[in-house]
Amino acid sequence: MTEKQIKQIESQLPQGEKIDRMYSAFEGGIRVITKNADGCEIRYNVSFDADDNASIKRF
């Protein structure tokens, strides 16, 4: 992913969540794991539109 796409993902996260890691999933696609202020992990699926803009949906 590009720096632009990472910034797009960060802008969609709820306040206090930070990206912990990203990986290519076995089933296809990209997953983003974040941690909130309490240290709990939240997982998101990443999708891309026709212009390669990234958006996330909670897994």
Side-chain angles (χ1 to χ4, degrees), residues 13-24:
L13 295 174
Q15 188 171 353
E17 280 188 36
K18 303 272 187 209
I19 294 175
D20 185 50
R21 60 193 182 273
M22 293 180 267
Y23 63 92
S24 179

Side-chain angles (χ1 to χ4, degrees), residues 1-43:
M1 278 198 295
T2 65
E3 196 66 34
K4 176 186 169 190
Q5 292 167 330
I6 293 170
K7 289 186 185 305
Q8 289 171 342
I9 291 170
E10 290 173 334
S11 72
Q12 297 173 54
L13 295 174
Q15 188 171 353
E17 280 188 36
K18 303 272 187 209
I19 294 175
D20 185 50
R21 60 193 182 273
M22 293 180 267
Y23 63 92
S24 179
F26 178 75
E27 302 86 8
I30 296 174
R31 302 269 196 285
V32 174
I33 312 300
T34 63
K35 286 195 178 178
N36 64 15
D38 297 330
C40 295
E41 288 188 350
I42 299 101
R43 297 174 185 269

